[in-house]
Amino acid sequence: MALLVVALTMSACMNRHDVPPADEGIDFVRNTEFSGPYLRVFITTEDGTELSVNTADDAIETRRGSTPIPGHDARSWTFVKDKDEGTSVAYALVSWDGDNPQDYLMAGWWAEFPDQHLPYLSFGDSLQYSIVDGPETDPSSPPRLPATGQATYVGQVGGLYVYTPGSDWGEDEGAYLLEEWEGTMTLTANFADSTLHGCVGCVGEITTGRAHFGVFLGAEARDIEFLGADYEMHLGTTPINPDGTFEHTDVTVRHPERTITQSEGSWGGTLSNIPDQAGDPRIAAGFVDAEFEESDDSAGLFVGTFVTLSDSFRAAQ
């Protein structure tokens, strides 16, 4: 079993010239244990220290969850673990087969606050990790990829959005905005040449709200004009590795009204080792980040996790 992790760093003191990129890319490693409904999430820090939270000891909130996977149960947890060396805060949404809990998919995030304790946590002085895990996304048990044909994948993507408005925004110029965002991702897999490409925001709009990060951001989303709507993230053609993983740095941000002068990013993940009725991997899941600058000196960053389902898998349910 394997899990995908990408470490992120965000600064609460970020100015419009200092939009932080995602760190180091994706580590394809194991980070969860699940025996429905018990869940343990663990990460290893750069100095080799293993940190963990679990539903029996550290969950401060439990809710019924929604899942894109037909027939699965779902539950979400928020974890807080305040210890001598600092505080861990995590969120996890798990979707699983009620008759076979080892058929599960987990998506979530982890924020580590070294030398900080409740109630005084500085988000700018933390490390964040996006997490996706499950047996069907395990590169050590790779999918049997088709040799020909295409498959389309559609699903939800979301995470954190950072923006510092420039001169076009009048009195708001130089403000710092940190919000939660979500949207729709579309992917096309071409199995004949083993590639993927896609888009975030080409179907539907990117929206903001309070679904997962309220523990940091508060209960109410900010109603501000520059909150991310109409942006698109175009994901360039990316090779699919023999183990079903993919990772690339070809991301372009576009907007119909804003002039984007520079953008870059990365995206990646893995294909499911469970086939749909057409014989294609039923899920593509992973991470995306994109940073951009605009002609008025505005700058932004999207960081997100995605789970997309094949058309055949969705239609069969």
Side-chain angles (χ1 to χ4, degrees):
M1 210 182 306
L3 183 133
L4 314 177
V5 180
V6 57
L8 312 170
T9 305
M10 294 184 181
S11 170
C13 299
M14 184 190 76
N15 60 51
R16 68 178 68 91
H17 295 291
D18 185 26
V19 180
D23 193 16
E24 299 300 318
I26 298 173
D27 292 330
F28 294 89
V29 295
R30 173 67 193 276
N31 289 82
T32 66
E33 297 173 350
F34 181 71
S35 179
Y38 173 82
L39 173 70
R40 177 174 174 260
V41 185
F42 51 92
I43 63 170
T44 301
T45 63
E46 291 184 358
D47 64 3
T49 301
E50 183 178 288
L51 306 171
S52 69
V53 294
N54 68 77
T55 52
D57 301 316
D58 309 306
I60 63 167
E61 182 179 74
T62 303
R63 294 183 178 180
R64 292 182 61 87
S66 61
T67 173
I69 302 177
H72 271 205
D73 298 321
R75 189 174 297 182
S76 67
W77 295 271
T78 300
F79 304 92
V80 175
K81 190 172 187 176
D82 197 342
K83 48 200 181 301
D84 290 344
E85 60 270 27
T87 302
S88 302
V89 181
Y91 171 84
L93 172 65
V94 178
S95 166
W96 76 92
D97 182 340
D99 295 327
N100 178 20
Q102 284 307 297
D103 175 9
Y104 77 90
L105 186 69
M106 175 270 188
W109 52 265
W110 184 297
E112 188 65 22
F113 298 86
D115 300 318
Q116 299 184 54
H117 302 281
L118 295 170
Y120 305 107
L121 299 179
S122 171
F123 196 65
D125 296 324
S126 67
L127 294 174
Q128 299 90 44
Y129 301 83
S130 295
I131 305 172
V132 175
D133 189 25
E136 67 181 289
T137 60
D138 181 0
S140 70
S141 180
R144 181 172 295 179
L145 299 174
T148 60
Q150 291 187 343
T152 300
Y153 296 83
V154 180
Q156 190 176 46
V157 56
L160 289 174
Y161 169 55
V162 181
Y163 191 82
T164 51
S167 58
D168 286 352
W169 301 105
E171 63 182 16
D172 290 318
E173 180 179 2
Y176 176 86
L177 175 72
L178 175 62
E179 274 296 342
E180 186 172 356
W181 69 277
E182 63 180 14
T184 298
M185 174 179 278
T186 55
L187 297 175
T188 299
N190 187 330
F191 296 114
D193 62 8
S194 296
T195 61
L196 275 170
H197 68 274
C199 183
V200 175
C202 291
V203 173
E205 286 190 346
I206 291 174
T207 61
T208 58
R210 284 291 186 275
H212 311 304
F213 295 93
V215 65
F216 295 123
L217 305 179
E220 298 294 331
R222 298 172 67 183
D223 184 16
I224 301 175
E225 186 177 358
F226 46 80
L227 272 179
D230 297 327
Y231 285 100
E232 298 175 354
M233 287 167 266
H234 291 256
L235 314 174
T237 300
T238 300
I240 302 172
N241 298 317
D243 64 358
T245 63
F246 52 93
E247 186 174 6
H248 202 25
T249 56
D250 188 355
V251 179
T252 302
V253 179
R254 300 178 186 173
H255 193 282
E257 298 176 355
R258 305 289 296 163
T259 301
I260 309 265
T261 57
Q262 180 180 347
S263 66
E264 60 184 351
S266 62
W267 72 293
T270 186
L271 297 174
S272 170
N273 56 24
I274 300 177
D276 60 20
Q277 286 196 337
D280 303 322
R282 69 177 189 173
I283 286 174
F287 313 99
V288 61
D289 69 86
E291 59 176 310
F292 61 94
E293 297 179 3
E294 299 172 333
S295 58
D296 71 330
D297 242 6
S298 296
L301 168 69
F302 290 96
V303 178
T305 303
F306 65 87
V307 176
T308 61
L309 278 60
S310 72
D311 282 348
S312 180
F313 183 37
R314 296 198 317 276
Q317 307 303 313

